[in-house]
Amino acid sequence: MGHGHSHGVTPQAAPTRGRIRRMTLALGIIAAFLVLEVIVALAVDSLALLADAGHMLTDVAGLSMGLAALVLAHRGSRKPGRTFGWHRAEVLTAMVNAVLLLGVAAWVFYEAIERIGDPPEVPGVALMITAAAGLAANLVAMFLIRGDASGSLAVRGAYLEVLADAVGSVGVLVAGVLLTVFDWTYADVVVGVLISLWVLPRALSLAAASLRILTQASPAHVDVDAVRADLESLPGVDGVHDLHVWTLTTGMDVATAHLTSDDDPNGVLQRARVVLDTHGLSHATVQVENAAVGRRCAREVTW
Ligand SMILES: [Zn+2]
């Protein structure tokens, strides 16, 4: 988000409303196609379609998260008790998405093993038609949100997701051609496994990134030791304790720190803020304590 320290609503309400409309439309198109693809996959018993549908689910989640982020940014205001708003909803969605993707991949692998030696007759024409429709859905969704991708991180993530999924549709299309033209019955199983293998690392990294945020680990791009060392070496600072760095949701890093100092607290605070800013931690809460208070606090505040 990188909104620095301005806590107000950004004055971009009008363009955001258009973005929300286009994202909703893209989400509707992709979700409708997901339902169609699952129905066809089960009807014709196709692993390639099932694997691609699993991937399509990532698009739906990606678009939903992007949409949620836009709506949250658009509203700005929130209930008094929800001091962090609903920003973590994005992380929860990502986690659920990762678990579902891993589940679909496991199912495809299991089915693929079952089908060795006895691949079912999957109609290639049905695969080609469904894949072509999927590709069209992806292209329309891409066209809708392409213009907004440069202005919003949330839309950009969703756009890349849809772009990547077009590859899955092409894979199913190829399987359909191999089945129809060359009558190669294993095409469906092979493409299904290939799509799942391609999705697997991304599902795992999505799960890892979500887990990192949910367990309040410090973001990978922040060197906490360096932050501590820089704060400790500030003029007038005698000690640092209760240093915490965590991520609220993607792109929103938060920090707290207690500094022991007998210098002018305002000067120490200013210098500490500059140091934290250089580490990308502009959303920080810093407390300056004199020697007596600091010693006691460091003893009592142990987590
Ligand atoms: Zn303290």
Side-chain angles (χ1 to χ4, degrees), residues 47-48 116 294:
L47 273 192
I116 290 174

Side-chain angles (χ1 to χ4, degrees), residues 172-290:
V172 180
L173 207 56
V174 170
V177 171
L178 290 174
L179 279 167
T180 314
V181 180
F182 300 99
D183 209 21
W184 188 45
T185 40
Y186 276 107
D188 178 63
V189 175
V190 170
V191 169
V193 169
L194 284 178
I195 292 175
S196 293
L197 282 177
W198 189 58
V199 174
L200 209 55
R202 299 197 308 142
L204 287 172
S205 83
L206 189 64
S210 313
L211 212 56
R212 196 182 171 98
I213 293 176
L214 289 175
T215 54
Q216 309 271 81
S218 63
H221 54 270
V222 174
D223 182 349
V224 179
D225 283 338
V227 174
R228 181 184 294 276
D230 286 354
L231 286 174
E232 279 171 346
S233 64
L234 279 175
V237 171
D238 301 322
V240 177
H241 60 272
D242 201 31
L243 175 65
H244 292 284
V245 183
W246 70 101
T247 303
L248 177 58
T249 190
T250 327
M252 297 171 83
D253 298 329
V254 195
T256 60
H258 291 194
L259 308 178
T260 316
S261 169
D262 284 321
D263 254 27
D264 163 40
N266 286 317
V268 170
L269 182 59
Q270 284 310 320
R271 293 193 285 275
R273 293 211 61 95
V274 171
V275 161
L276 289 166
D277 258 333
T278 61
H279 286 279
L281 298 167
S282 53
H283 200 127
T285 306
V286 180
Q287 176 167 319
V288 183
E289 302 160 347
N290 67 33

